[in-house]
Amino acid sequence: MKKLLFLFGISTILFSCGSSQNKTATNSTKSQDVTTFGNSITSAELKEALYTYASDEFEGRNTGDPGQKKAVEYLKNHYVNLGIPSALPNNDYFQEVPLQTLSTPEIDLLVNGKSFTNIEDYVSVISSPDGTFDAKEIIYVGYGIDDEKFSSYTNLDVKGKVVLFKAGEPKNSDGNYTISGTDETSKWSNLRQEFVAKREAAENKGAKAVLFYNADAYSFVAKRFGGSHGRMSLVEPPKDLYYFIINTDLAKAIHSTIDTSDKTETLNSAIEFNYKNASNTFESENVVAIIKGSEKPEEYIVVSAHLDHEGIKDGEIYNGADDDGSGTVAILEIAEAFQKAVENGQGPKRSIVFLHVTGEEKGLLGSKYYTDQDPIFPLANTVADLNIDMIGRTDPKREKTNRNYLYLIGSDKLSTDLHNISEEMNTKYCNIDLDYTFNDDNDPNRFYYRSDHYNFAKNNIPVIFYFNGTHADYHKPSDTPDKIEYDLLENRTRLIFYTAWELANRKDRIIVDKAN
């Protein structure tokens, strides 16, 4: 045992981030001993904070529940004690996020006089206005795509009408997909993106109601959106649109040859339905603090992590130590390091925003509210988002290789500068094995779309998602602070600090050269 402890201690020293590396940040206007601040990020302080934040006292931090309210107060008090001000004008650190739980709406739907059953045959997947709607015809638009390389809506007026489309996308005579020109699909047939892209295409064309036939995904969608337990979403004005995912029986009742036909046509199928919402509104909070830049305060580096977790289920507390207690306490330590620099007269040139978002587990809701509804600071002035979601453990797939690793996702997708800076900071200060396994566009896990950075990326803001991978305790009550590998958490947190430091202090703002 002593030998194992000795070797563990040696490994910690060998890859301790910044402890024996070059001490001068590049592209800065004056020499700064950045490691003085980076070395203030310690495993002991991370451990102390996480044992509190992921304790039973916080009851799993479920969005909107008392435990989550305790969590945001803890974060606020931490920034108050550090002397880091709120990013909000009212100085209370809380950006109120209006949320609602959506229970299954009451819907009566008939096609050609035949009644179909809610959940069994169709699912409503957005909040729509209460009311009655009927139409004598339905416009079938094949795959429902509106792209510069192919459009299902060419010379077609669907304003105020009902539109039906199906999953997938067309291919050319050579077997390649029309949109990509290769054997790879585009967003128009990837479920996570297709689901929104095709709806938005119909909505932009003025459709009143949309029916999406996806036989393969129907059971998943029915389970995801059809349960009466209450799905959570942002409170938004109901869209003047009805959007239903429909099963095979309903699709074929409207268009008997839908599986084989891609031809746009007007169908003599009458549809009518009554729609009544069922929802309950409440508020949660993002916690936002800021250190203003000394030279370019109107340019912002965002460091983000989600503050929520799964709460209590069947009497068991889901503490969420790694997910995302690790990211949360990492931000607190990064903030403290930057504040030490400020107190030493070496504050960042650009502003650093410390953003703890709510509702990530419910669908990236807090970050979506920040980017889509109420960006506290202009997105056009936001240089990058460094998002931290699970950095305290080891992926079982990595246990037999170098444990001093970290998965990076998204660093090269929008900005070559950001990727190069990330690599440079790691080489200079940390020597962590940066693993890009999940950065592949064809990653079946789709991690790029599954944490809060994505709401920044979709707005062409460069991002890095820092991630250790999943493990046996992921989304289980056993994700507890005693299982965190604090030496790894320290080193990974320091890397993120050094990257943020360089982004904030370099002469030129990074360039977005791969905009969507």
Side-chain angles (χ1 to χ4, degrees):
M1 179 65 71
K2 290 181 181 178
K3 181 179 180 182
L4 289 174
L5 289 173
F6 174 76
L7 290 173
F8 178 80
I10 290 294
S11 69
T12 301
I13 293 170
L14 287 176
F15 63 68
S16 183
C17 195
S19 59
S20 60
Q21 302 294 325
N22 188 324
K23 302 199 183 277
T24 304
T26 64
N27 207 10
S28 301
T29 58
K30 66 177 181 177
S31 177
Q32 301 182 64
D33 186 4
V34 61
T35 58
T36 299
F37 314 121
N39 289 342
S40 72
I41 297 169
T42 67
S43 58
E45 291 186 1
L46 288 160
K47 184 175 184 178
E48 180 181 5
L50 190 54
Y51 263 84
T52 299
Y53 195 75
S55 68
D56 288 354
E57 177 187 356
F58 289 79
E59 301 174 346
R61 311 186 303 275
N62 186 50
T63 302
D65 285 356
Q68 181 253 299
K69 303 298 183 182
K70 293 178 183 178
V72 298
E73 287 293 339
Y74 173 85
L75 298 174
K76 171 184 174 179
N77 290 335
H78 190 89
Y79 286 110
V80 170
N81 292 334
L82 286 176
I84 299 175
S86 165
L88 283 302
N90 59 10
N91 204 38
D92 73 352
Y93 295 86
F94 297 155
Q95 181 185 37
E96 300 294 340
V97 180
L99 298 173
Q100 61 184 343
T101 51
L102 297 174
S103 295
T104 306
E106 298 177 16
I107 308 172
D108 298 313
L109 186 148
L110 293 88
V111 170
N112 297 326
K114 180 181 178 181
S115 179
F116 287 84
T117 305
N118 194 6
I119 310 304
E120 182 178 329
D121 297 312
Y122 59 87
V123 179
S124 172
V125 292
I126 62 172
S127 180
S128 301
D130 292 350
T132 299
F133 180 80
D134 66 87
K136 302 302 181 184
E137 61 184 25
I138 297 173
I139 311 299
Y140 177 57
V141 293
Y143 292 112
I145 294 170
D146 188 30
D147 187 273
E148 60 181 10
K149 295 183 179 179
F150 176 88
S151 178
S152 305
Y153 295 91
T154 301
N155 300 322
L156 188 63
D157 181 11
V158 298
K159 188 173 182 178
K161 299 179 181 179
V162 181
V163 168
L164 168 67
F165 51 74
K166 64 180 179 179
E169 59 183 295
K171 289 184 176 182
N172 298 326
S173 57
D174 60 6
N176 287 325
Y177 287 100
T178 302
I179 306 298
S180 67
T182 69
D183 59 357
E184 294 185 2
T185 60
S186 71
K187 68 177 183 179
W188 297 102
S189 60
N190 172 272
L191 178 60
R192 288 180 182 272
Q193 295 170 283
E194 173 186 38
F195 184 77
V196 174
K198 291 185 176 182
R199 183 207 78 204
E200 289 181 343
E203 185 178 11
N204 291 337
K205 296 293 182 181
K208 182 68 175 180
V210 175
L211 309 174
F212 178 21
Y213 171 48
N214 191 325
D216 293 336
Y218 186 79
S219 60
F220 163 76
V221 173
K223 181 179 180 180
R224 172 80 166 80
F225 293 96
S228 60
H229 60 280
R231 176 172 55 88
M232 196 174 292
S233 72
L234 292 174
V235 173
E236 300 173 301
K239 289 182 176 292
D240 191 21
L241 176 78
Y242 300 93
Y243 185 25
F244 302 100
I245 309 298
I246 64 176
N247 71 358
T248 301
D249 289 344
L250 178 49
K252 291 190 174 182
I254 299 170
H255 188 8
S256 60
T257 59
I258 190 170
D259 284 329
T260 57
S261 174
D262 305 334
K263 180 183 177 182
T264 299
E265 58 182 306
T266 300
L267 306 171
N268 293 319
S269 293
I271 184 172
E272 58 181 300
F273 55 83
N274 296 312
Y275 188 103
K276 184 177 181 181
N277 264 304
S279 64
N280 177 50
T281 61
F282 65 99
E283 285 191 339
S284 187
E285 302 83 17
N286 292 334
V287 180
V288 198
I290 186 171
I291 292 177
K292 281 286 188 179
S294 60
E295 294 184 14
K296 300 180 180 182
E298 302 306 317
E299 293 185 13
Y300 305 92
I301 314 299
V302 176
V303 185
S304 63
H306 69 90
L307 61 88
D308 61 306
H309 194 54
E310 295 284 305
I312 301 174
K313 298 179 180 179
D314 299 323
E316 291 191 278
I317 297 175
Y318 287 61
N319 298 103
D322 194 24
D323 186 16
D324 186 27
S326 62
T328 299
V329 298
I331 290 186
L332 298 181
E333 281 288 284
I334 291 168
E336 182 177 352
F338 271 107
Q339 184 65 359
K340 286 181 183 296
V342 171
E343 292 166 356
N344 197 49
Q346 296 176 280
K349 295 176 183 177
R350 293 178 177 85
S351 296
I352 309 292
V353 179
F354 306 102
L355 175 63
H356 302 264
V357 292
T358 189
E360 189 271 354
E361 303 289 3
K362 310 300 182 184
L364 316 183
L365 301 181
S367 57
K368 182 179 180 183
Y369 182 77
Y370 182 93
T371 60
D372 294 12
Q373 293 193 33
D374 186 22
I376 298 172
F377 305 107
L379 298 185
N381 294 350
T382 302
V383 175
D385 171 51
L386 306 181
N387 184 56
I388 316 168
D389 194 350
M390 299 175 60
I391 62 165
R393 294 282 296 272
T394 300
D395 185 338
K397 297 182 181 67
R398 296 276 324 200
E399 287 178 348
K400 295 183 179 180
T401 57
N402 182 9
R403 66 187 288 270
N404 182 31
Y405 79 96
L406 188 59
Y407 294 122
L408 265 60
I409 302 171
S411 65
D412 64 347
K413 292 190 183 297
L414 291 168
S415 172
T416 303
D417 280 348
L418 179 60
H419 178 76
N420 291 342
I421 289 168
S422 171
E423 286 281 339
E424 180 186 353
M425 293 303 100
N426 182 55
T427 299
K428 180 170 292 188
Y429 299 114
C430 298
N431 292 320
I432 294 173
D433 180 8
L434 301 183
D435 189 328
Y436 296 96
T437 297
F438 300 122
N439 193 54
D440 191 318
D441 289 341
N442 296 313
D443 168 33
N445 300 284
R446 309 293 291 170
F447 285 129
Y448 179 65
Y449 304 95
R450 289 172 55 182
S451 192
D452 295 294
H453 61 280
Y454 180 68
N455 283 318
F456 289 88
K458 73 183 185 184
N459 286 287
N460 286 318
I461 296 169
V463 302
I464 302 178
F465 171 22
Y466 300 92
F467 180 51
N468 54 219
T470 58
H471 43 72
D473 302 306
Y474 175 65
H475 278 200
K476 293 182 179 179
S478 51
D479 181 9
T480 51
D482 57 297
K483 296 178 180 177
I484 297 297
E485 298 172 73
Y486 289 96
D487 61 329
L488 296 181
L489 179 55
E490 173 189 287
N491 295 319
R492 294 161 175 173
T493 303
R494 288 183 181 182
L495 171 63
I496 300 163
F497 166 73
Y498 290 125
T499 304
W501 179 273
E502 177 66 10
L503 291 171
N505 289 295
R506 70 196 311 265
K507 178 181 177 181
D508 300 318
R509 175 175 173 170
I510 60 171
I511 296 171
V512 181
D513 57 351
K514 301 178 182 180
N516 294 321

